[in-house]
Amino acid sequence: FVTLSEGAEGQLTRSLYAASQSIFACLAWSVYADGALDPVPATVIGPIQSGAGRWRTWANTRVFIRAWDAVFSQGHWAKHGWTVKTEPDAVFFHFRLHWHLDGLHTRPP
């Protein structure tokens, strides 16, 4: 997840963590936030508030570059066949992902 540490998104992340739902039901996961997200272990990547771009889409490229830089530098991805980026407010069922990926083979990390 890339999430705000405060407000509705931060609270949703905390609730999902407490219930072991969404990404927190996976074998491995990481959370990247703009600040501490206790009790959720998170990597702070700085401000993630973004404004609207010219076409009324979010202008958040720099935020995700910082998040992906953190993903690569931590290296957890190298221990797994797949890396998935999702959001706290997206419906994510880990068992459905496993079902879709079953039988697909990745190269060893």
Side-chain angles (χ1 to χ4, degrees):
F1 285 164
V2 174
T3 184
L4 294 168
S5 58
E6 298 297 326
E9 197 169 81
Q11 187 55 43
L12 178 57
T13 302
R14 288 178 180 94
S15 296
L16 292 169
Y17 175 76
S20 296
Q21 293 177 335
S22 189
I23 67 165
F24 303 112
C26 295
L27 296 175
W29 49 266
S30 297
V31 174
Y32 303 92
D34 60 342
L37 196 59
D38 295 331
V40 182
T43 300
V44 176
I45 61 169
I48 63 174
Q49 290 284 6
S50 300
R54 199 162 71 188
W55 294 283
R56 296 189 178 177
T57 59
W58 289 109
N60 55 5
T61 302
R62 287 186 181 96
V63 171
F64 288 106
I65 289 172
R66 286 197 319 269
W68 282 109
D69 283 346
V71 167
F72 284 111
S73 69
Q74 291 173 341
H76 302 300
W77 62 272
K79 300 173 189 163
H80 305 280
W82 298 94
T83 299
V84 176
K85 185 255 180 230
T86 187
E87 295 288 325
D89 58 353
V91 176
F92 177 75
F93 298 114
H94 75 287
F95 56 88
R96 294 290 295 162
L97 179 64
H98 284 261
W99 181 82
H100 283 286
L101 299 178
D102 189 39
L104 297 177
H105 301 284
T106 61
R107 288 183 279 155

